[in-house]
Amino acid sequence: MEEISYAEVDKALKKFRPFLVRDGGDYELVEVTPDGIVKIKLLGACETCPSSDMTLKMGIELTLAEKIIGFKEVVQVF
């Protein structure tokens, strides 16, 4: 299996970023592991939002799953 690159993930996520910024939030792409795990730190309003799990799974994770072969899951880091 081919490793996914940080640049590839970053490019895919930039299309999702405006939705977070519109609501006063943002993210930091912390790490992309060789086994397809993407580690993200939520920032701003997203840090304390009760819907942050939904944002990660239904927003960011679905975006990456549609665009990147080899992607497995997104994990929030603090």
Side-chain angles (χ1 to χ4, degrees):
M1 180 172 80
E2 189 176 319
E3 288 184 24
I4 61 175
S5 73
Y6 184 97
E8 183 180 21
V9 171
D10 191 45
K11 181 179 177 182
L13 286 177
K14 284 185 177 168
K15 294 175 182 175
F16 189 77
R17 178 173 261 145
F19 299 106
L20 297 177
V21 172
R22 180 186 64 205
D23 292 330
D26 205 351
Y27 70 87
E28 174 188 348
L29 177 55
V30 176
E31 182 182 4
V32 177
T33 69
D35 59 344
I37 307 297
V38 173
K39 297 181 181 180
I40 298 223
K41 180 177 183 179
L42 293 175
L43 305 171
C46 291
E47 286 181 276
T48 57
C49 178
S51 299
S52 63
D53 286 339
M54 183 76 80
T55 298
L56 281 173
K57 295 298 178 183
M58 298 305 291
I60 294 173
E61 194 166 273
L62 284 178
T63 297
L64 294 177
E66 290 174 355
K67 300 186 182 306
I68 299 179
I69 295 170
F71 166 77
K72 288 194 179 139
E73 87 174 300
V74 67
V75 176
Q76 183 176 1
V77 296
F78 300 93

